[in-house]
């Protein structure tokens, strides 16, 4: 039997090869077939997830609630020292020096990354802004969000902090961060579905010792991950409750 793996679409394009290396490595560790399928769109991926197409998912925190509480997935590990933080940035030549400087009618460039967009909108509340008095411009990627800021097509943009930090020095030099979230307990995680439940102990053991040999360490480096940390049900439920509270 071949299982199916997918990855939340918000990883940096430079790490695409890393996920293919990871998939090959994991198949060898588990001695079973795993097919990796990547998406450009969160909505398209979520449709296939709901259709129960996948058995192993590197998921963003927003989707964790659906996966755990509706589809019976179990979180087994998370990348160490990697939390999902959101950045609101503007063109470096902009007059805006803080979020509170933004006014009604502000054009906000964002992506369909659900947790980043949600956190960005929450951070706009300090300026009395919400979806009713801003112009939301959904873009296909964080690079396109940055282009919108640089060419004057948007007043501010939402970024996953990791994605913002991985942009070239040239692009970042033309933008300025107004605010960055500091939640620290919200993060991506690797979740295993019901059809693959029997492999959970082997998967967790393989991940937690991945950095201990040259091959595993090389794969981790290609993914920009130092090592994995275990996740239990209590940690998972805490993160899901926090996300649900923020959304509500």
């Amino acid at each position: 039997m071949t299982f199916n793996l997918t990855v939340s679409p918000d990883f940096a394009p430079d790490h695409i090869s890393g996920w293919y290396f990871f998939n090959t490595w994991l198949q060898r560790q588990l001695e079973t077939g795993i097919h990796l399928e990547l998406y450009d769109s969160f909505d398209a991926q979520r449709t296939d997830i709901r259709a129960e197409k996948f058995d192993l998912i590197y998921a963003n925190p927003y989707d964790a609630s659906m996966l755990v509480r509706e589809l019976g997935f179990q979180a087994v590990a998370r990348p160490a020292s990697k939390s999902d933080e959101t950045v609101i940035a503007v063109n470096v030549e902009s007059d805006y020096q803080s979020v509170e400087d933004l006014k009604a009618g502000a054009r906000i460039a964002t992506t369909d990354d659900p947790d980043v967009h949600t956190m960005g909108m929450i951070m706009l509340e300090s300026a009395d802004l919400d979806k009713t008095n801003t112009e939301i411009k959904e873009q296909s990627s964080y690079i396109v969000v940055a282009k919108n800021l640089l060419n004057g097509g948007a007043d501010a943009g939402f970024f996953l902090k990791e994605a913002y930090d991985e942009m070239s020095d040239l692009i970042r030099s033309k933008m300025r961060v107004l605010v960055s979230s500091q939640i620290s307990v919200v993060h991506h995680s690797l979740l295993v579905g019901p059809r693959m439940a029997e492999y959970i102990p082997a998967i967790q053991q393989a991940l937690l010792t991945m950095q201990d040999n040259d091959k595993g360490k090389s794969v981790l480096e290609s993914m920009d991950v130092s090592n994995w940390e275990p996740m239990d049900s209590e940690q998972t439920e805490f993160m899901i409750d926090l996300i649900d509270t923020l959304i509500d």
Side-chain angles (χ1 to χ4, degrees):
M1 178 179 183
T2 298
F3 297 103
N4 293 304
L5 161 68
T6 191
V7 179
S8 182
D10 47 16
F11 63 90
D14 291 349
H15 301 151
I16 290 177
S17 60
W19 281 105
Y20 281 99
F21 296 150
F22 174 78
N23 187 54
T24 299
W25 175 87
L26 188 60
Q27 289 182 83
R28 290 173 178 166
Q29 301 303 307
L30 302 180
E31 298 181 344
T32 191
I34 303 174
H35 168 71
L36 172 63
E37 186 162 346
L38 302 179
Y39 290 78
D40 294 326
S41 163
F42 287 88
D43 288 339
Q45 183 188 57
R46 197 170 293 117
T47 296
D48 283 350
I49 289 173
R50 287 192 177 278
E52 301 183 6
K53 182 174 179 179
F54 295 103
D55 308 289
L56 193 62
I57 301 175
Y58 182 67
N60 64 71
Y62 183 95
D63 286 339
S65 177
M66 169 185 67
L67 290 165
V68 172
R69 294 181 176 173
E70 298 179 30
L71 301 177
F73 277 70
Q74 181 177 331
V76 296
R78 56 160 291 187
S81 305
K82 272 183 177 283
S83 59
D84 285 9
E85 304 295 353
T86 297
V87 163
I88 299 181
V90 296
N91 188 307
V92 71
E93 297 180 357
S94 167
D95 292 334
Y96 304 120
Q97 300 297 321
S98 69
V99 170
E100 289 73 22
D101 291 335
L102 294 167
K103 305 300 181 185
R107 300 164 299 163
I108 308 298
T110 184
T111 67
D112 63 349
D113 190 336
D115 51 323
V116 172
H117 178 76
T118 298
M119 183 53 59
M121 294 305 295
I122 290 172
M123 291 194 292
L124 285 184
E125 291 176 0
S126 62
D128 293 324
L129 298 178
D130 56 33
K131 64 182 180 181
T132 67
N133 61 0
T134 56
E135 180 185 345
I136 304 300
K137 305 181 66 176
E138 186 174 298
Q139 308 298 332
S140 59
S141 70
Y142 293 115
I143 289 294
V144 181
V145 171
K147 288 180 178 178
N148 267 241
L149 296 182
L150 301 188
N151 66 22
D155 299 303
F158 297 162
F159 298 86
L160 180 67
K161 186 178 186 301
E162 182 179 354
Y164 182 90
D165 291 342
E166 290 183 345
M167 289 185 181
S168 70
D169 292 342
L170 177 61
I171 291 177
R172 282 189 287 110
S173 71
K174 296 181 179 181
M175 297 187 291
R176 182 175 65 252
V177 173
L178 295 185
V179 65
S180 178
S181 66
Q182 297 180 1
I183 298 178
S184 76
V185 295
V186 176
H187 48 75
H188 283 53
S189 50
L190 191 71
L191 293 96
V192 180
R195 289 190 298 264
M196 212 173 179
E198 66 183 282
Y199 288 91
I200 287 177
I203 292 171
Q204 194 166 56
Q205 174 66 19
L207 294 178
L208 298 184
T209 58
M210 194 172 177
Q211 72 280 2
D212 295 340
N213 61 79
D214 290 341
K215 182 61 178 178
K217 190 174 182 179
S218 175
V219 173
L220 285 169
E221 288 173 354
S222 71
M223 301 162 66
D224 193 31
V225 173
S226 60
N227 60 282
W228 296 90
E229 295 179 343
M231 279 192 70
D232 57 29
S233 58
E234 185 176 341
Q235 292 170 314
T236 305
E237 290 295 334
F238 178 80
M239 184 180 73
I240 290 173
D241 285 342
L242 177 59
I243 290 292
D244 288 348
T245 299
L246 292 175
I247 294 172
D248 293 340

